[in-house]
Amino acid sequence: MTTFDEGLLSPVAVGHDVLVTDAAVLDALVRAEHALITAYLDIGLLPAEVHAEITRAWGGGRDAAAIDAASLITASVAGGNPVIPLVAQLADRVPEGLRPWVHRGATSQDIVDTALMIVALAAVERLRDSLVQTVDGLHRLEDRHGRDVVVARTLTQHAVPTTLGARLDGWRQGIDRAITRTTSLAFPAQLAGAAGTRASFVEITGSADAAQALVAAYARHAGLEVPSGSWQVARWPITELGDALVQTVDALGKLASDVTTLSRTEIGELHEGAGGGSSAMPQKQNPVESTLIRSAALRAPQLGATLHLAAALAGDERPDGAWHAEWPTLRELLRLALGASAHAASLVAGLRVDAEAATRNLELTRGLVISERLALVLVPLIGRSRFDDLIASVADGAQLGDLVRAVPEAAGLDVDALLDPAGYTGVRGMPGAGEHAG
Amino acid sequence: MTTFDEGLLSPVAVGHDVLVTDAAVLDALVRAEHALITAYLDIGLLPAEVHAEITRAWGGGRDAAAIDAASLITASVAGGNPVIPLVAQLADRVPEGLRPWVHRGATSQDIVDTALMIVALAAVERLRDSLVQTVDGLHRLEDRHGRDVVVARTLTQHAVPTTLGARLDGWRQGIDRAITRTTSLAFPAQLAGAAGTRASFVEITGSADAAQALVAAYARHAGLEVPSGSWQVARWPITELGDALVQTVDALGKLASDVTTLSRTEIGELHEGAGGGSSAMPQKQNPVESTLIRSAALRAPQLGATLHLAAALAGDERPDGAWHAEWPTLRELLRLALGASAHAASLVAGLRVDAEAATRNLELTRGLVISERLALVLVPLIGRSRFDDLIASVADGAQLGDLVRAVPEAAGLDVDALLDPAGYTGVRGMPGAGEHAG
Amino acid sequence: MTTFDEGLLSPVAVGHDVLVTDAAVLDALVRAEHALITAYLDIGLLPAEVHAEITRAWGGGRDAAAIDAASLITASVAGGNPVIPLVAQLADRVPEGLRPWVHRGATSQDIVDTALMIVALAAVERLRDSLVQTVDGLHRLEDRHGRDVVVARTLTQHAVPTTLGARLDGWRQGIDRAITRTTSLAFPAQLAGAAGTRASFVEITGSADAAQALVAAYARHAGLEVPSGSWQVARWPITELGDALVQTVDALGKLASDVTTLSRTEIGELHEGAGGGSSAMPQKQNPVESTLIRSAALRAPQLGATLHLAAALAGDERPDGAWHAEWPTLRELLRLALGASAHAASLVAGLRVDAEAATRNLELTRGLVISERLALVLVPLIGRSRFDDLIASVADGAQLGDLVRAVPEAAGLDVDALLDPAGYTGVRGMPGAGEHAG
Amino acid sequence: MTTFDEGLLSPVAVGHDVLVTDAAVLDALVRAEHALITAYLDIGLLPAEVHAEITRAWGGGRDAAAIDAASLITASVAGGNPVIPLVAQLADRVPEGLRPWVHRGATSQDIVDTALMIVALAAVERLRDSLVQTVDGLHRLEDRHGRDVVVARTLTQHAVPTTLGARLDGWRQGIDRAITRTTSLAFPAQLAGAAGTRASFVEITGSADAAQALVAAYARHAGLEVPSGSWQVARWPITELGDALVQTVDALGKLASDVTTLSRTEIGELHEGAGGGSSAMPQKQNPVESTLIRSAALRAPQLGATLHLAAALAGDERPDGAWHAEWPTLRELLRLALGASAHAASLVAGLRVDAEAATRNLELTRGLVISERLALVLVPLIGRSRFDDLIASVADGAQLGDLVRAVPEAAGLDVDALLDPAGYTGVRGMPGAGEHAG
């Protein structure tokens, strides 16, 4: 078999994408077919011994080890999807008389959609573990460095003081929200037949209620939710999943973007635990995990867009291309989310804070970082014009503290306290107020 | 003022975008500034008479009629956002002594983010009205035509029978889900100061609790939710909104795609109530509303992707471009969703069903549309090979019914019933089973 | 080694992507490293026997068979790219004294960029072969069916007559343009050192001229163009390549979209040579190749967008994520273009025209398809109002010919000729005028 | 008229988008209709006095001042495009007997496509002026600062020395390429009739050759190229235009990304001429022009993707939505390119270089910035292991120079020269070698 992608060009996901490989998808396709067999058993149409025989023939029904993947893949082109040759291989493995039970009443889309949901559910659970680990890591950083006063930057320029805790809060907020979103996703099975009507299952089982029971049993055996109807061309389960994955990668991308900035040689407030080396420059310690996470964050949104387009163009009862465009796109999104989240957990666990660098940066503008607060206090005393002159003098090289102490009207002020960045960090700086910043 | 866009190139939204125009945004910006003034009143810092005076000076604080929009827009370039010149104009309108109260403690982002949420909330409410109307229209179609038997198509080919009701169900499912999603959105106000810490508000109000009270009052007066902290660089409220809008347009795009297909000259099962004319061809009745909805559906996903990118790249405490990329993108998404949903409501209300054409199409394959069912019944009797020969004969021009009646083993079957498409429409075709197909 | 993607979810590319697999990329990485060795030989710095020894140690330098890909891929994560571990493996294979020659003066990006260009060049050549085959196939269809009169459809409705030749012209125009674009692409090598200055090569070779000679030799041995400077963070070679690939897939997507429409059961003017089967419906002949091409066309544009984003965000002298986002994206685009073009060639070669169906469709509107022409002729004689009435009568069921013949003012007209669709097909319908329509 | 967009949310384009407003498009639509009239005059079908009368009635045919835009826009919804009501208004303005000459033989798409090309051509010419100005500005910076030695950064970390000239080269390379691309674009007129066959024009003019002459005259009067056939559904002229615009914005985005990084408070090597202020922080000097350019760069790629999708989905002889999706998308891309390029020209003209900061940054790693060169020289003398120890000592706080001077084997080396960053800047650092770096 020709292998297209072993990870050579996808370092962000290497070691983290085993749940979403072709092998995992193939397992899930077999599991979906076996869930159908078992559903027929559950509703009493398939004798237990027949079920057992098929299950044995399929190696237990949970893995695809015995499938000839290479020939399956080659054969998938003719019909445009892998289920047709899969059904042929699965049927070949059972005695001829039992073959009508294989894929009975189902359409390719039932199996592909169900398999992708099986794969996605497992991947999202793993993803969530990584996100929870990342949040735990942020809490540990908070414990150690949450009250560190650091400079806040807007449009790349020093703005006002903040705390490292407030920055961690921001990262955590995004990740918490991603956890919430991924937790509320629907992972429905699909079993609706040739055109979403379940007509074949009504025919086979004899009633709509029995067909519904079959669908419910199938979903249960696939480990998925019972669908309320067909979503063959109502693709919100796919786009909501895609959106949640992109949102997850967004949140991690924000964190990673801050890390790469804050680990710039000139800034140096943060360092990855184990920076990556360079093939040319022996001294380099690159923020590799952040870089890899960012590479995922630059790719994920456009993959999400493709899923939406496919949903909007899901014409007829099965469209001529839109459905096929979903498979590799959704899978690549899962892969990026798995890789980015694993690296985020590791990155946060190893992140080193250089508090000294943070303090040095905070002082870089000779006091101007506190000018917003100073304006609130001084402008009422000396007017905007004199205040602006004072700020301009700092831009010319003076220390703000010296200038303020020379202002007669400021005589009664505790200038040291006023200019202390730690005194102007907002709700996080107030005793007991941390919880408001949630 | 030079006007960029009056709708000349955006027919999908003409007449439906009044809630999201520049004028609406400007109103919302003023409203946000006024909400801040009023919040200071609420928490007892601003005397009532001062509030009244400022409110009068601002024309009541709810509309921007008195703002010189043209000069504001020109002036917005220097600082990169419209709030700086807006604050200047608003301050100019109040006595000098009251000017410190204008925009007190706030940063431009507080006002822009809040204003966009004000605009978005109103737009989403309108959008939901249109979606509810669309669903109502689908229910009316269901009442009249839900049991019409029509052909289901997969990969553009006739597949099996279905009902128009099942097709309507699919459309409705997508739209219902869009209603659910838009209903569960968060519309938080933003009031966090220069870098998201609320430091200025703690300074001004004297405590974190008082700052929190100020934020709560501000949110209330802006008609929005009280934010739990700052979302200045945790942009999930924007991306979740964007995702819900794209999902909405997807659902409408699916509906519209089906309508354009089903109103093809050769198919003719559906017709828009008032088709559009042509500048060249007098006989044309184009499915214009569907076409416009589809034009929105082809654009929306990529706009949603831009919002995600901006979220992922929301570096520092305010990024250098990502935030600015959001504004026009989110607004255009709202516009597309408003336009597409208004047209969907109107389209569905006027949709005409040609049941005769549907029946003619159903018969086009001389019975083959029922071949899946027939296989379930006949293959056990005559084997796969004879069955395939029979199907092939139909492809060569024979009527399936004639062939089946000539099969000796089929003597005991009610061939008319077996071949009746109405008998093979699945759960929707079963008495009392409609609710299962939900 | 865990294999991520063997093609299970990518039927459009199965069998057509061998030039762009991980194995092909790994070969190209080795080839780039070997081209550097050989360039040192060319400029006289490396003794011939040393070159020969290294070449032998690397299995000839053109294939990566001896590389342990699995451990390389695992090791690539630490530094974020595959070159660091590749250099280690390559160095291990030569005597210690020769190791300084391995990767001498180069940076990882030199090798990755060069390798991707090697891979892309071979893929684009293959792609162009498929496009030329597709054009040849269109010419053959033109010979047989170019003058067939068929109905033109706009906004899904019958509009005026056209010829199949005009439709084929449109397809060909898009593909010809894609051939032109791919032919004019630049495939430059990259050899600029740690930060694009070539400082290491100047150091090693002793002069800027010698460094330039080294780069030229390297490019020649890599089979690529000599770059004019560095494009490490001027990424137009990548985006122009990406744009040309997307444009190619667009052109094929247009063709495929027309084929899926024209092979609809109700239209039936075209049929794929070998339609795909269905797992559920025995009679189905799906337009699978068109469907697969369309699946590529729905995905390619967003991949192209990612390449542009990466180019815009190629900050510093090597960016923190944007470069890494390019690799899998460009490769997937190549894969889609290879797959789509191979299927297009095969699709066109096998395409069957049902001239009878085309004629039946042309007559479906009882003459109205010619109403634009009729308006040009009749309105001057009978006025717009009477003409409109006449058209409306056809909409009510009359034959247009009967109505026209009953118009007294039309007595002198050759109504048969006037209403003959073949007489209103424009420049393609005029003897000797075919070349104007090019 | 309700105005949607006056620029409130689009500061990047304010003042730079006059060529692509709705008013400009409306002018171009009228100009296209008038070019058709004049083309009929040119080929001898329209008497000169009739042409003069229509021209007078249309205010000269070059501007749309007399058109009631508001009612036109409202009326455009019914047919889905603005041409149908425009033709009605234009016809109303001429005597009844002349009305058949208005829009004679044309279809809406002929006029919209031609008008968008007219608008695009003018915009691209303006865009190119800005790009040329930007390049001129870069040359002026090169003259003053091209030989400044600065630090090169990769993955955010100090890597090796470079020159500001090399950095400017990289920016210029991207912009030069954008100029080349925009210069080689095709701007064809469109005049092909209802379905691209020119049938109406053959009918009206009497021959394919006369129709061709009409098209040629029309293109000339529209200021555009004569199309070789119809591109109504072969949309490469749109996507090639879109790609060139995105490529342009990419190149500017790269420049702007570097400027925002290099003007970070901690780095400070570059400053925008007139930084933008802040509504909250009096000391802030934000890199506003770069920020606005970056906001465009984050949006443009996804707009380009929409154009490609529309091209791929340009089904039939005019598609049901894809064409309509192009108009606002292409126009917004033009707007972004115009705004971004105008700001780039202004940004580069005002850019201030802080050479002192650059030198300070270069020394920040206590010599390590030269370690790649040092490895080339020292490793052969002292081996890799001792060299690595030496580098590690610098990481622990030592000065590299001191350590090297203490190495016995380095006794014969000119350590000052070896460690001078200016001596390791590659081809740009070599006398007379600048031209190689092009």
Side-chain angles (χ1 to χ4, degrees), chain B residues 34-68:
Chain B
H34 190 258
L36 179 57
I37 296 284
T38 310
Y40 279 118
L41 171 72
D42 275 22
I43 66 163
L45 283 191
L46 187 73
E49 62 277 14
V50 172
H51 180 267
E53 187 167 355
I54 294 175
T55 301
R56 263 194 314 277
W58 292 359
R62 291 256 166 172
D63 77 89
I67 299 296
D68 177 351

Side-chain angles (χ1 to χ4, degrees), chain A residues 132-210:
Chain A
V132 168
Q133 276 181 47
T134 307
V135 169
D136 288 349
L138 292 174
H139 280 296
R140 283 192 297 273
L141 280 171
E142 164 79 34
D143 290 344
R144 276 177 286 138
H145 292 284
R147 291 176 173 270
D148 289 9
V149 180
V150 299
V151 68
R153 298 167 184 86
T154 60
L155 282 75
T156 74
Q157 303 302 298
H158 284 197
V160 292
T162 187
T163 55
L164 188 50
R167 189 169 286 146
L168 298 173
D169 271 348
W171 298 348
R172 206 167 53 205
Q173 186 191 155
I175 298 170
D176 278 341
R177 191 76 190 183
I179 293 173
T180 302
R181 279 291 296 279
T182 54
T183 304
S184 66
L185 289 172
F187 292 91
Q190 181 79 278
L191 192 68
T197 63
R198 299 186 183 168
S200 55
F201 302 111
V202 172
E203 180 79 23
I204 293 165
T205 65
S207 76
D209 285 346

Side-chain angles (χ1 to χ4, degrees), chain C residues 265-289:
Chain C
T265 306
E266 290 86 354
I267 298 180
E269 300 185 16
L270 295 180
H271 299 281
E272 290 198 5
S278 154
S279 74
M281 296 155 285
Q283 86 285 8
K284 288 285 296 291
Q285 289 290 311
N286 293 321
V288 169
E289 294 203 284

Side-chain angles (χ1 to χ4, degrees), chain D residues 47-372:
Chain D
E49 61 276 14
V50 172
H51 179 267
E53 186 168 354
I54 295 175
T55 301
R56 264 194 313 276
W58 292 359
R62 292 256 166 172
D63 78 88
I67 298 296
D68 177 351
S71 71
L72 184 157
I73 289 171
T74 303
S76 72
V77 181
N81 79 62
V83 173
I84 303 172
L86 173 65
V87 169
Q89 286 201 32
L90 289 174
D92 275 353
R93 303 170 69 83
V94 301
E96 194 166 352
L98 304 186
R99 287 180 192 164
W101 287 104
V102 176
H103 193 68
R104 186 162 184 82
T107 193
S108 296
Q109 187 170 4
D110 291 332
I111 303 305
V112 169
D113 281 357
T114 298
L116 288 178
M117 278 292 158
I118 290 171
V119 165
L121 175 57
V124 166
E125 282 168 357
R126 172 75 54 89
L127 166 66
R128 219 147 41 209
D129 288 348
S130 294
L131 295 179
V132 168
Q133 276 180 50
T134 307
V135 169
D136 288 349
L138 292 174
H139 279 298
R140 281 192 299 274
L141 280 170
E142 163 80 34
D143 290 343
R144 275 178 285 140
H145 292 285
R147 290 174 173 272
D148 289 9
V149 180
V150 299
V151 68
R153 298 168 182 86
T154 59
L155 281 75
T156 74
Q157 303 301 297
H158 284 198
V160 291
T162 187
T163 55
L164 188 50
R167 191 170 284 145
L168 298 173
D169 271 349
W171 297 349
R172 207 167 52 205
Q173 185 189 156
I175 299 171
D176 277 341
R177 190 77 190 182
I179 293 173
T180 301
R181 279 290 299 278
T182 55
T183 304
S184 66
L185 289 171
F187 292 92
Q190 181 78 278
L191 192 69
T197 63
R198 300 188 184 167
S200 56
F201 301 112
V202 171
E203 179 80 23
I204 293 165
T205 64
S207 76
D209 286 346
Q212 175 67 14
L214 181 80
V215 172
Y218 169 80
R220 195 168 59 246
H221 289 293
L224 299 172
E225 293 167 35
V226 181
S228 63
S230 165
W231 48 281
Q232 287 181 353
V233 284
R235 305 303 285 175
W236 58 265
I238 298 293
T239 60
E240 291 191 7
L241 172 55
D243 289 345
L245 295 171
V246 179
Q247 180 168 342
T248 298
V249 179
D250 294 346
L252 304 175
K254 155 63 180 164
L255 184 161
S257 293
D258 281 351
V259 172
T260 61
T261 294
L262 295 170
S263 60
R264 280 192 167 276
T265 305
E266 289 87 353
I267 299 179
E269 300 185 15
L270 294 180
H271 299 281
E272 290 198 5
S278 153
S279 75
M281 295 155 285
Q283 86 286 5
K284 289 285 296 291
Q285 291 288 315
N286 293 321
V288 169
E289 293 202 284
S290 317
T291 294
L292 294 179
I293 293 169
R294 275 175 51 87
S295 79
L298 295 176
R299 297 176 58 208
Q302 292 77 257
L303 296 173
T306 299
L307 296 182
H308 280 290
L309 275 164
L313 298 174
D316 290 336
E317 275 69 38
R318 181 165 310 122
D320 52 346
W323 177 51
H324 301 72
E326 281 178 2
W327 318 334
T329 306
L330 173 62
R331 202 255 296 255
E332 190 71 16
L333 253 183
L334 288 165
R335 187 191 201 188
L336 291 180
L338 284 168
S341 60
H343 279 291
S346 150
L347 165 63
V348 167
L351 203 61
R352 289 178 288 116
V353 174
D354 186 337
E356 206 176 305
T359 302
R360 191 170 56 242
N361 291 336
L362 195 57
E363 294 167 352
L364 215 53
T365 55
R366 294 179 303 281
L368 284 182
V369 75
I370 207 72
S371 63
E372 183 192 43

Side-chain angles (χ1 to χ4, degrees), chain A residues 244-329:
Chain A
L245 295 171
V246 179
Q247 180 168 341
T248 299
V249 179
D250 293 347
L252 304 175
K254 154 65 178 163
L255 184 161
S257 294
D258 282 351
V259 172
T260 61
T261 294
L262 295 169
S263 60
R264 281 192 166 275
T265 306
E266 290 88 352
I267 298 178
E269 301 184 14
L270 295 179
H271 299 280
E272 290 198 6
S278 154
S279 73
M281 295 155 286
Q283 86 285 6
K284 291 284 297 291
Q285 289 288 315
N286 293 320
V288 168
E289 293 202 283
S290 319
T291 293
L292 293 180
I293 294 169
R294 274 175 53 86
S295 78
L298 295 177
R299 295 176 59 207
Q302 292 78 255
L303 296 173
T306 298
L307 296 181
H308 280 291
L309 275 165
L313 298 173
D316 290 335
E317 275 69 38
R318 182 166 309 121
D320 51 346
W323 177 50
H324 301 71
E326 280 177 3
W327 318 334
T329 305

Side-chain angles (χ1 to χ4, degrees), chain B residues 17-26 119 331, chain D residues 2-5 8:
Chain B
D17 56 12
V18 67
L19 291 174
V20 295
T21 59
D22 270 10
V25 175
L26 192 50
V119 164
R331 202 254 296 254
Chain D
T2 303
T3 286
F4 180 74
D5 183 352
L8 186 72

